[in-house]
Amino acid sequence: FNTLELQTDPRGFATLWLSREEKNNAFNAEMIRELILALDAVQSDASLRFLVLRGRGKHFSAGADLAWMQQSAELDYNTNLDDARHLAELMYNLAKLKMPTLAVVQGAAYGGALGLISACDMRYAAEDAQFSIKEIDMGMAADVGTLQRLPRIIGDGMLREMAYTGRMVGAEEARAIGLVNRVYPDHEALL
């Protein structure tokens, strides 16, 4: 993988690292395709019983890569539709993975990163974690993966507030609204 690292532990769990630190782990078409392949590999490995999703570096993920989004404006309809289908497939595959999943979040978790997080069964955050649906700042709507699963976790009212205002939610507030299960002082100490 170019944008990920998949590590397996003989005790039966895998850690899937988002690994585009220079882009704050923002995802693009390549990362989405690689995430789909990595989830397929995890699903097909009978020795694995648990998946941890993490981000390398200072941030979990800044959401979609803005350069990739700008390039998408120049793509034809069918290519953009394929990209959207791949993103939907990724979110579906993560949510339906036949093993428990845990997102470990530090720093920024913006936009589509909330889709990844909300597709996981459990979510732990470091005290420095900040969550936001930033698409509104660019005059866009949040992606389908985020809008589909997040209301079941935080409620429709809080989702609307976050989506319509782009307001930043810190780790403790995220725990209070149910977005994360636990908050820890240091993400390195989480696992």
Side-chain angles (χ1 to χ4, degrees):
F1 297 119
N2 294 318
T3 65
L4 310 171
E5 294 174 46
L6 179 58
Q7 299 172 331
T8 58
D9 187 286
R11 294 174 291 176
F13 71 91
T15 303
L16 182 54
W17 292 91
L18 306 178
S19 188
R20 292 184 76 213
E21 290 179 66
E22 72 286 355
K23 295 285 188 176
N24 295 320
N25 296 319
F27 47 86
N28 58 11
E30 180 181 24
M31 181 183 269
I32 291 168
R33 283 190 300 274
E34 289 186 353
L35 281 163
I36 291 168
L37 292 172
L39 291 174
D40 286 346
V42 167
Q43 184 70 59
S44 65
D45 187 337
S47 73
L48 298 175
R49 298 180 319 276
F50 191 79
L51 174 68
V52 180
L53 180 63
R54 303 188 76 164
R56 289 269 185 223
K58 184 177 177 182
H59 300 290
F60 176 78
S61 174
D65 185 324
L66 295 178
W68 171 58
M69 291 174 63
Q70 288 172 337
Q71 292 168 353
S72 294
E74 298 184 19
L75 299 175
D76 64 62
Y77 174 82
N78 288 325
T79 304
N80 271 309
L81 190 57
D82 286 343
D83 280 353
R85 284 184 182 134
H86 289 139
L87 182 59
E89 179 183 358
L90 165 61
M91 298 301 177
Y92 178 84
N93 291 356
L94 181 56
K96 299 300 180 187
L97 199 65
K98 293 182 178 155
M99 65 184 66
T101 55
L102 168 66
V104 177
V105 181
Q106 80 283 358
Y110 297 160
L114 289 178
L116 287 174
I117 293 165
S118 65
C120 289
D121 298 310
M122 297 169 285
R123 297 157 299 279
Y124 290 178
E127 287 179 345
D128 73 340
Q130 297 218 339
F131 305 86
S132 181
I133 301 173
K134 301 297 285 178
E135 288 90 340
I136 193 70
D137 294 345
M138 296 172 277
M140 299 168 50
D143 73 83
V144 174
T146 302
L147 294 177
Q148 181 182 14
R149 291 176 186 84
L150 209 49
R152 287 180 273 181
I153 297 169
I154 65 172
D156 191 52
M158 182 54 76
L159 170 70
R160 288 173 190 255
E161 180 180 331
M162 289 178 71
Y164 295 162
T165 67
R167 184 171 73 79
M168 208 65 82
V169 172
E172 285 300 333
E173 183 179 2
R175 187 187 55 72
I177 64 173
L179 180 56
V180 299
N181 304 93
R182 299 190 183 280
V183 175
Y184 291 90
D186 178 13
H187 75 279
E188 294 297 330
L190 288 175
L191 292 173

